[in-house]
Amino acid sequence: MSDPADLTIVEAAAALRSEDLTAVELLAAVRRRAAMTEANIHAYLTIDVEGAEASARAADDAFAGGEDRGPLQGIPIALKDNMVTRGLETTASSQILAGWHPPYDATVVTRLRDAGAVIVGKTNLDEFAMGSSTENSAYGTSRNPWDPERVPGGSSGGSAAAVAVGSALAALGSDTGGSVRQPASLCGVVGMKPTYGLVSRYGLIAFASSLDQIGPITRSVADALAVLQGISGHDPEDATSYRGELPDFGSQIDRGVEGLKIGVVSELSGEGTEPAVAAEFRTMLQRLEGAGAEIKELSLPSTAYALSAYYLIAPAECSANLARFDGVRFGLRLDGGTVEEMMGATRAAGFGPEVIRRILLGTYALSAGYYDAFYGQAQKVRTLVIDDFKQAYEQADVLVTPTSPTTAFKVGERTDDPLAMYLSDLCTIPSNLSGDPGISVPTGVDDAGLPIGFQVLAPALAEPLMFRVAQAVEDLAGFDARPTLASSEGAA
Amino acid sequence: MTWEVVIGIETHVELRTESKMFCGCPVGFGAEPNTAVCPVCLGLPGALPVPNEKAIEWTMRLGLALDCDVTQQSLFHRKNYFYADMPKNYQISQFDFPLCVGGHLDVTTSDGDRRIGITRVHLEEDTGKSTHLGEGGRIGSSGGALVDFNRAGIPLMEVVSEPDIRTPEEARVYAQELRAVVLALGVSDARLEEGSMRFDANISLRSEGATELGVKVEVKNMNSLRSLQRALSHEIERQTKILDEGGAIAQETRHWDEEAGRTEAGRSKEEASDYRYFSEPDLVPLVVTDEVVAGLRSELPELPAQTGARFEAAGVDSIAARVLVGGSLGSLFDEAVVAGAAAPEVAKWLTGEVTAHLNREGADPPALSLDGAALAELIAMVEAGDLSSTAAKQVLEGVLTGEGQPRQVAEARDLIQIRDEEALAEAVAAVVAAHPEEMGRIADGDGKLIGFLVGQVMKATGGKADPRRVSELIRESS
Amino acid sequence: MVCSGALLGEIAVGVPSRLVPIDIDIAKVARLARLGLSEEELAAYGSQLESILEHAARVQALPTEGVEPTAHPLPMVNAHRSDEIEPTLDRDEVLAQAPDHVDGFFKVPAFLEDE
């Protein structure tokens, strides 16, 4: 048997049930992989040694006692460090939360525990999920397992890197503008953003509440489905949580794409896309067509403005969401003669530059005299983006784009140019504005051997259709390359 | 120059729901600091608000009681400002789509009846409480402050009046009437001294006949109806003096200092607040159907104005009716009338002796050891001639101090009137015999002396004679 | 950055016609956001904000007359909870995370403003 750390959830679940593998062994394999790779990759901020071992033993006990809580039982899963875990340090990669041990668990954490999953630890991210490279982490940049000179993408870069390298079988990320899909694409793994409201945000440290959604990062489409099934569903603690009946997410997964209309968004796959990415994208389109899908070129004119709208809406919401970090009840406090000075000093010292930039931007966009021109107008553009998607879905069943216009870029390459960094999310942001689901599936590599992701977008609650196309893409791509660092030779 | 006074009042009312506005923490007084808190009301990272449906319903009830329209689709907004006792550093409140808009409250002052417009009634969350340490007045100069978040997140209704109020008395009566409505609805205990009902007033002066409003001053920190009226009187004087001298009023917030009897300027801020309202993305819109509104309307209890009108229709004069309603004596009144007493007589006792007793003791009507049946019994005893009005007051005092029911008290205190005609005639005869001169003057038409002789008889009988009957007997003897 | 020019060019389709001039009082914005930044920091953030806003301001180029703003991607209404008491947090656990506390209270420096 190969190293259990390289198994998919589906494979591991079978091995755990056939008694070829125990949860404790699986955790040990993942732990070994982390020990081999962390020095190079730095995917984790915190590893929960004792908690994970206890969970793994409990999972084995459950198996031994005939108790089976589903495919996640005994599976080592990592959490992006913006999901709160009771008693386990949670920082959102910010100095302002250094040493914070939350007194409660996020709903997704509770769901994972209830499903018998083993929470390995907390992964690195751009501070408060603001960024596309993890370079905005206060605790160091994570590295891309395919080339440690390069970023893993972000903001869920630690989660994507951990899954790619095998220091977790799956991870949760949060996606506000592409923060699950873009790092998944850059790390050669699957990343999925569910329909807004399908997964509870309770206990997710908010960046932009109307855009944030937790999603799985996995090594296969089927694994993403398994994790989504484990974490989704109505949560009374989240007023924006979807209350209707959930679709059967996997109901169409084996049906292939024959007869489906697949729309190509011209604004999101044209100029500006790196040639290798564009070529890989076109190759997959041909394969899809060969598998019986109808490919249609579609225009979503308002998506050209989506990035601008996003960079007003997200900072506006974050300027309020991050106001609670004030040195009064938890986290960092700097001295000040008055409470106002204390707060000002704490926040200026505790937040990194990108966070400060966005707080300032959002504060300005909401302030008297500017609201209508900036925030108000951005919300109208959001309406137009939603309308464009609706029209597009009248002509096509799903929409496809490259996940990211480029493959992984070098550490430091974009840090001085916030706008260039923001462009990493050009193709992913529109579906955050619309609230629709999207998934990135790895299909190949560029000349430098860096992975390229293919994005499938679907209408709200059309996850069954999205998984169906994503599974076909995965099958057609036959992508099975692994980063060299994922093997023991690579992790010198 | 004659100045016209323009006052608008913002009233905050804490709702006495079981749980807080956006979380399940208990609402109540007296808990140990920071024990009624959870991730939501502490504003911990990751926590999310979920609105309390009872608080929404109660706010709509108040809106309907004030004849407001309930907004079909209302929204919560974030009101952004930093303050150490506000956990999230934004308050979830309502902005351009409040729950209720456009109502009114009718009030009666010494100048007559007035209708005060209600701009809006909306729902928000309360802040925590900070206690300033160190010496030097309200603001500690050193030592910092202690913060308790038990109050943070308690549902808070805000009622905003139109600037329709013209005098401090009108302001007080408005506040009093609004409090009576809140109490009648049973949505808050509305205790001013504990801060569960709080008033802020906006006041400006303008030259008589002007249509534009003058510069507005916000007056805060008035924790009784009396101080509301006093503070506004003081503020009118202060502003009149400045304007008469050709000065300009500064737009500012001033705090009422009850002891000093004046308003004091707050520390002026560097710049006006900019609350950066935007719709709360953690919450979804509130949609209220016509059926729900109709249902709530049909379930409204009798409101103070209706109660007052009913009392008047029963023969109570309008001033007494207002005192009964304003003093929460309505249910006692109704009980006594049901027990058979005449409405005007019941009103007379409640607004007179009973109200005086409550004022003396600083007590609330529900705490009284007098019920409606007892009051009816007392009135019946007076009407039957068993008690003189003087004796009846003594009996009432006995009842109020817990000595028992009226007849028990009257007997124990030996206050039952002499109804034995023979005994009474003897007592009168004795007095008549002892005052021949006075009897002569009465015979000559000096009626005033009858009262003197009645008094002599009452004295002789230890107050147990019926003065009306004594008076008749004296007339018959002259 | 290879593609940034091209992409921003693409974003700029439709020449902005009614841009609100970008005029940032960065010190005031920082005060509103309770960020105690130095003069140098303010200047640096101020110019960065201007360039970001120049691009973000392109939203104004899109005609939006009669378009309703979207605050929320979901067409959901009335997500309430019933008025029931739920467990509170353990105070010791809460205060263990506080930068300063005394006698069960959170402790903060003195207030400057009185409101």
Side-chain angles (χ1 to χ4, degrees):
Chain A
M1 181 176 175
S2 62
D3 189 334
D6 292 319
L7 297 174
T8 63
I9 292 176
V10 173
E11 290 163 350
L16 287 166
R17 282 162 185 77
S18 65
E19 294 174 30
D20 293 337
L21 182 69
T22 67
V24 169
E25 288 163 2
L26 181 56
L27 175 65
V30 159
R31 209 37 88 52
R32 272 196 308 276
R33 187 62 60 81
M36 287 185 334
T37 55
E38 268 305 288
N40 288 320
I41 302 301
H42 185 43
Y44 284 92
L45 296 179
T46 305
I47 291 185
D48 184 13
V49 177
E50 288 171 19
E53 275 168 14
S55 298
R57 278 196 303 273
D60 284 333
D61 289 349
F63 282 123
E67 187 190 346
D68 193 337
R69 286 183 270 178
L72 301 185
Q73 183 162 302
I75 302 295
I77 295 182
L79 298 173
K80 188 178 183 178
D81 199 31
N82 60 352
M83 298 168 206
V84 305
T85 40
R86 184 168 183 181
L88 185 62
E89 186 176 6
T90 302
T91 66
S93 283
S94 182
Q95 283 294 348
I96 211 159
L97 274 180
W100 185 51
H101 291 75
Y104 77 110
D105 273 330
T107 297
V108 285
V109 174
T110 308
R111 295 237 163 130
L112 286 179
R113 290 195 201 286
D114 290 349
V118 175
I119 292 170
V120 189
K122 310 294 288 289
T123 59
N124 196 18
L125 63 149
D126 288 291
E127 184 178 3
F128 288 107
M130 296 179 197
S132 309
S133 68
T134 72
E135 289 165 295
N136 295 331
S137 170
Y139 305 105
T141 303
S142 298
R143 302 298 176 128
N144 193 310
W146 299 78
D147 177 0
E149 304 265 289
R150 293 176 186 268
V151 302
S155 63
S156 311
S159 284
V163 174
V165 88
S167 54
L169 262 60
L172 296 188
S174 63
D175 191 314
T176 306
S179 280
V180 162
R181 292 163 287 164
Q182 184 261 15
S185 174
L186 269 50
C187 288
V189 292
V190 172
M192 191 247 163
K193 180 196 92 77
T195 300
Y196 185 88
L198 279 194
V199 178
S200 171
R201 295 184 296 112
Y202 189 74
L204 169 68
I205 300 176
F207 162 16
S209 313
S210 76
L211 302 163
D212 295 343
Q213 187 63 194
I214 292 172
I217 295 176
T218 56
R219 290 199 205 114
S220 73
V221 171
D223 282 6
L225 172 67
V227 176
L228 180 64
Q229 283 168 333
I231 60 174
S232 56
H234 178 65
D235 178 11
E237 308 281 3
D238 177 357
T240 64
S241 162
Y242 179 68
R243 279 174 290 170
E245 201 164 316
L246 292 185
D248 181 353
F249 301 127
S251 56
Q252 304 178 24
I253 197 160
D254 293 327
R255 286 203 212 159
V257 291
E258 192 166 356
L260 287 184
K261 287 183 213 148
I262 294 179
V264 176
V265 183
S266 50
E267 285 85 356
L268 302 179
S269 52
E271 332 165 27
T273 309
E274 272 181 353
V277 173
E280 178 67 29
F281 180 65
R282 278 192 302 274
T283 303
M284 181 49 67
L285 290 180
Q286 284 160 9
R287 288 180 179 167
L288 287 165
E289 200 163 24
E294 182 188 342
I295 307 295
K296 301 181 78 169
E297 185 97 355
L298 293 173
S299 174
L300 276 72
S302 66
T303 55
Y305 298 87
L307 192 64
S308 298
Y310 174 85
Y311 275 99
L312 292 169
I313 292 169
E317 292 183 10
C318 99
S319 72
N321 282 333
L322 269 58
R324 68 189 62 195
F325 301 93
D326 61 3
V328 173
R329 287 146 295 130
F330 51 82
L332 183 74
R333 175 188 291 187
L334 265 69
D335 289 338
T338 65
V339 71
E340 290 79 11
E341 285 167 14
M342 180 280 282
M343 287 183 184
T346 299
R347 290 166 60 76
F351 292 136
E354 181 63 21
V355 172
I356 289 180
R357 199 149 42 228
R358 296 201 198 186
I359 290 174
L360 290 169
L361 180 57
T363 302
Y364 175 79
L366 289 172
S367 61
Y370 301 101
Y371 179 95
D372 289 340
F374 291 109
Y375 186 70
Q377 180 72 3
Q379 285 194 318
K380 291 180 180 177
V381 171
R382 188 170 188 179
T383 307
L384 295 175
V385 170
I386 291 172
D387 290 348
D388 271 6
F389 270 116
K390 275 187 193 145
Q391 282 180 15
Y393 287 126
E394 283 169 13
Q395 299 168 62
D397 298 304
V398 296
L399 301 176
V400 295
T401 76
T403 307
S404 169
T406 70
T407 52
F409 46 92
K410 287 201 164 148
V411 172
E413 189 179 312
R414 299 188 189 180
T415 40
D416 293 334
D417 187 354
L419 279 166
M421 187 73 88
Y422 296 172
L423 286 167
S424 296
D425 297 328
L426 182 75
C427 301
T428 45
I429 276 174
S431 53
N432 292 91
L433 292 173
S434 68
D436 298 338
I439 188 167
S440 176
V441 181
T443 56
V445 292
D446 67 5
D447 295 343
L450 299 169
I452 297 169
F454 185 90
Q455 180 178 229
V456 181
L457 303 172
L461 300 172
E463 272 84 355
L465 190 58
M466 185 204 70
F467 276 118
R468 173 180 173 184
V469 176
Q471 184 62 57
V473 169
E474 186 177 79
D475 294 342
L476 291 167
F479 177 80
D480 58 2
R482 295 297 304 276
T484 46
L485 271 173
S487 67
S488 40
E489 312 93 77
Chain B
M1 178 84 80
T2 320
W3 303 104
E4 185 189 27
V5 175
V6 178
I7 298 169
I9 294 182
E10 289 173 14
T11 310
H12 286 94
V13 184
E14 278 184 4
L15 293 175
R16 277 294 165 262
T17 43
E18 294 290 320
S19 64
K20 289 185 180 180
M21 184 61 226
F22 296 112
C23 63
C25 288
V27 166
F29 279 109
E32 284 290 302
N34 296 305
T35 53
V37 294
C38 73
V40 178
C41 60
L42 266 183
L44 294 188
L48 296 172
V50 183
N52 183 333
E53 64 184 357
K54 178 141 281 173
I56 293 166
E57 187 189 308
W58 283 4
T59 304
M60 293 192 285
R61 284 173 75 179
L62 179 63
L64 290 171
L66 298 172
D67 249 333
C68 291
D69 291 326
V70 172
T71 310
Q72 279 190 341
Q73 176 156 332
S74 62
L75 293 175
F76 283 107
H77 272 59
R78 291 185 183 177
K79 180 181 183 180
N80 295 286
Y81 63 100
F82 281 82
Y83 204 65
D85 60 20
M86 190 164 61
K88 303 183 293 297
N89 287 312
Y90 59 81
Q91 180 188 33
I92 303 178
S93 180
Q94 296 194 285
F95 182 52
D96 47 4
F97 295 95
L99 263 173
C100 310
V101 293
H104 57 82
L105 183 61
D106 293 327
V107 299
T108 306
T109 67
S110 51
D111 296 334
D113 293 343
R114 290 264 290 135
R115 170 162 285 194
I116 309 299
I118 302 292
T119 315
R120 57 192 281 154
V121 181
H122 77 239
L123 187 52
E124 57 191 29
E125 55 179 340
D126 210 344
T127 62
K129 243 180 185 164
S130 39
T131 311
H132 301 269
L133 301 172
E135 65 281 74
R138 244 167 3 95
I139 302 151
S141 53
S142 63
L146 301 179
V147 191
D148 171 15
F149 290 100
N150 284 349
R151 198 182 70 175
I154 290 181
L156 199 60
M157 285 189 301
E158 181 172 331
V159 183
V160 181
S161 87
E162 290 287 311
D164 289 346
I165 298 166
R166 293 290 172 267
T167 67
E169 184 206 356
E170 213 166 274
R172 178 182 55 74
V173 174
Y174 164 82
Q176 191 175 341
E177 186 70 22
L178 182 59
R179 181 169 183 269
V181 172
V182 167
L183 289 172
L185 294 174
V187 298
S188 172
D189 53 17
R191 290 182 193 277
L192 275 59
E193 63 289 355
E194 283 170 7
S196 60
M197 186 168 196
R198 321 195 268 269
F199 301 99
D200 299 328
N202 287 308
I203 174 166
S204 62
L205 269 54
R206 64 180 170 191
S207 52
E208 196 80 55
T211 50
E212 297 217 343
L213 290 175
V215 176
K216 183 174 84 175
V217 169
E218 187 177 16
V219 187
K220 286 180 175 287
N221 199 36
M222 299 157 296
N223 51 17
S224 70
L225 294 173
R226 183 169 161 273
S227 63
L228 172 67
Q229 183 167 357
R230 280 182 74 202
L232 290 172
S233 299
H234 164 84
E235 193 53 28
I236 291 168
E237 262 176 54
R238 189 187 70 86
Q239 294 191 21
T240 302
K241 185 158 177 282
I242 293 171
L243 292 172
D244 283 347
E245 288 166 358
I249 304 295
Q251 180 161 352
E252 61 183 352
T253 299
R254 298 180 69 84
H255 294 269
W256 172 244
D257 184 334
E258 182 73 38
E259 261 175 50
R262 60 170 181 261
T263 62
E264 306 264 17
R267 283 185 204 208
S268 61
K269 290 187 191 167
E270 285 176 79
E271 56 215 338
S273 305
D274 183 345
Y275 293 126
R276 291 158 283 135
Y277 281 100
F278 71 102
S279 66
E280 166 58 284
D282 288 332
L283 297 173
V284 298
L286 297 172
V287 170
V288 185
T289 62
D290 292 345
E291 293 75 53
V292 168
V293 173
L296 288 172
R297 203 191 299 275
S298 71
E299 287 163 15
L300 283 182
E302 186 180 58
L303 296 170
Q306 297 163 331
T307 313
R310 184 165 60 79
F311 291 171
E312 285 187 48
V316 176
D317 71 67
S318 66
I319 293 173
R322 261 201 309 285
V323 173
L324 289 176
V325 174
S328 306
L329 292 160
S331 56
L332 207 49
F333 173 89
D334 285 334
E335 281 171 30
V337 171
V338 166
E345 202 59 24
V346 175
K348 196 185 83 190
W349 280 99
L350 287 176
T351 59
E353 296 304 310
V354 174
T355 297
H357 170 83
L358 290 170
N359 290 345
R360 257 194 322 271
E361 304 293 320
D364 280 328
L368 287 176
S369 54
L370 173 80
D371 59 17
L375 182 57
E377 184 185 349
L378 182 74
I379 290 167
M381 287 174 72
V382 174
E383 275 174 5
D386 287 346
L387 286 177
S388 70
S389 60
T390 314
K393 287 177 188 174
Q394 293 172 40
V395 170
L396 178 68
E397 187 199 298
V399 174
L400 289 171
T401 52
E403 289 173 28
Q405 293 302 303
R407 186 158 297 277
Q408 284 173 282
V409 175
E411 281 167 2
R413 291 193 177 194
D414 195 18
L415 291 168
I416 303 287
Q417 290 191 139
I418 302 164
R419 290 172 72 181
D420 179 343
E421 273 290 316
E422 230 170 89
L424 203 57
E426 268 176 39
V428 171
V431 170
V432 166
H435 297 84
E437 192 186 325
E438 286 81 357
M439 287 305 290
R441 282 164 57 189
I442 288 169
D444 292 342
D446 189 350
K448 279 185 279 182
L449 277 170
I450 292 175
F452 169 73
L453 291 181
V454 170
Q456 295 303 307
V457 176
M458 294 307 287
K459 205 165 149 187
T461 58
K464 285 158 69 182
D466 174 358
R468 272 172 305 171
R469 185 68 194 129
V470 172
S471 172
E472 280 167 24
L473 289 172
I474 291 169
R475 282 178 201 280
E476 284 166 16
S477 311
S478 66
Chain C
M1 177 56 224
V2 213
C3 60
S4 107
L7 283 173
L8 286 176
E10 192 175 17
I11 293 161
V13 291
V15 179
S17 54
R18 47 202 177 88
L19 292 186
V20 164
I22 293 162
D23 162 29
I24 308 174
D25 180 348
I26 189 71
K28 181 185 170 187
V29 175
R31 266 199 307 281
L32 283 173
R34 274 287 193 281
L35 289 164
L37 301 172
S38 69
E39 291 298 321
E40 296 74 36
E41 288 169 321
L42 285 174
Y45 283 117
S47 65
Q48 287 169 3
L49 243 59
E50 273 174 33
S51 65
I52 297 169
L53 276 167
E54 270 167 33
H55 292 285
R58 287 166 206 282
V59 293
Q60 294 164 37
L62 208 53
T64 53
E65 265 162 40
V67 175
E68 286 293 316
T70 295
H72 218 270
L74 282 193
M76 265 180 64
V77 297
N78 295 348
H80 305 151
R81 42 174 279 275
S82 55
D83 182 26
E84 281 161 19
I85 294 175
E86 286 159 40
T88 56
L89 285 174
D90 174 62
R91 186 170 71 182
D92 292 339
E93 192 176 356
V94 168
L95 292 178
Q97 300 300 316
D100 195 6
H101 63 95
V102 60
D103 298 339
F105 291 91
F106 293 91
K107 188 163 186 283
V108 296
F111 288 44
L112 172 67
E113 293 173 10
D114 57 1
E115 189 201 330

